[in-house]
Amino acid sequence: MKFGMFTATAAALAVTASAWAGTIHGKVSGAKGESVVYLQTNPAKSFPAPAQHAQMDQKNLMFVPHILVIQQGTTVVFRNSDAVLHNVYWPSINGNKKLGHNMGTWPQGGERSFTFRNPGVVPLYCYVHPDMSGYIIVSPTPYYAETDQAGNYTIKNVPNGTYTLIAWHEGKRPHSQSITVSGDATANVTVGK
Ligand SMILES: [Cu+2]
């Protein structure tokens, strides 16, 4: 009898947990390789900034990783692991040139940090090596994902509600659409040329 009641309670809790949030699955088409998918709240709601820092390395004359996705408010530690001077700058954030910034130029082993308080796409460059490029994608919410090479993604534990879903891929026009989450949802999207 007691065992039976316990089972019923556990089942009720499971239903409650799935009723307020869901998982978004989908696929990004129109581009080869990794894309980034993230959600925006409307109106914008602020989320606590993650305490953990992220790292963007400069190694073998490349930004590593090539694409870094962070939540808004995260501090990124830029590191130079090469035996040459590197610079880090971005001309804009999400196309806004007023948010452009030059971190400066420094030698091997050095680190400089920046806290990204504005959401969107941050294209990274190095004045010393014009061929170097990388990206930081700053998601305004904790709800983001990087796709696998085939474009598949999963965003878990998204509270029910209506969001703007943005899909970004290097060199492509980003896709954005409204999505309503009420339990699990599917969103297959295509990024443009
Ligand atoms: Cu460089």
Side-chain angles (χ1 to χ4, degrees), residues 35-49:
S35 298
V36 176
V37 180
Y38 61 91
L39 302 184
Q40 204 175 285
T41 47
N42 304 306
K45 177 188 163 192
S46 64
F47 293 86

Side-chain angles (χ1 to χ4, degrees), residues 50-69:
Q52 189 165 354
H53 294 180
Q55 182 173 281
M56 176 58 81
D57 203 355
Q58 287 173 293
K59 195 171 185 179
N60 299 324
L61 303 179
M62 291 187 293
F63 284 100
V64 181
H66 183 61
I67 299 166
L68 173 67
V69 192

Side-chain angles (χ1 to χ4, degrees), residues 3-190:
F3 180 75
M5 281 182 69
F6 173 78
T7 307
T9 307
L13 281 171
V15 168
T16 306
S18 65
W20 63 271
T23 295
I24 305 175
H25 292 280
K27 182 168 181 166
V28 178
S29 304
K32 283 189 178 140
E34 183 189 326
S35 298
V36 176
V37 180
Y38 61 91
L39 302 184
Q40 204 175 285
T41 47
N42 304 306
K45 177 188 163 192
S46 64
F47 293 86
Q52 189 165 354
H53 294 180
Q55 182 173 281
M56 176 58 81
D57 203 355
Q58 287 173 293
K59 195 171 185 179
N60 299 324
L61 303 179
M62 291 187 293
F63 284 100
V64 181
H66 183 61
I67 299 166
L68 173 67
V69 192
I70 58 170
Q71 189 189 320
Q72 187 173 353
T74 300
T75 297
V76 175
V77 178
F78 292 93
R79 181 175 174 78
N80 180 356
S81 291
D82 281 335
V84 295
L85 289 172
H86 280 302
N87 161 264
V88 176
Y89 79 96
W90 51 94
S92 62
I93 295 181
N94 233 31
N96 183 350
K97 289 180 178 159
K98 286 180 183 163
L99 299 176
H101 184 68
N102 185 352
M103 293 291 295
T105 301
W106 63 95
Q108 187 170 38
E111 291 181 344
R112 291 185 189 181
S113 298
F114 187 89
T115 302
F116 288 88
R117 301 191 192 283
N118 293 282
V121 179
V122 186
L124 301 177
Y125 299 98
C126 168
Y127 276 122
V128 184
H129 304 100
D131 289 346
M132 289 179 69
S133 71
Y135 295 91
I136 297 174
I137 311 300
V138 184
S139 170
T141 67
Y143 315 120
Y144 59 85
E146 292 175 70
T147 72
D148 63 17
Q149 291 297 310
N152 299 299
Y153 73 92
T154 300
I155 305 176
K156 289 179 183 168
N157 298 319
V158 181
N160 288 348
T162 298
Y163 301 87
T164 300
L165 177 148
I166 295 162
W168 174 90
H169 188 96
E170 180 175 9
K172 300 281 184 177
R173 192 158 31 79
H175 169 93
S176 81
Q177 68 172 63
S178 179
I179 182 168
T180 297
V181 175
S182 176
D184 292 347
T186 301
N188 297 318
V189 303
T190 303

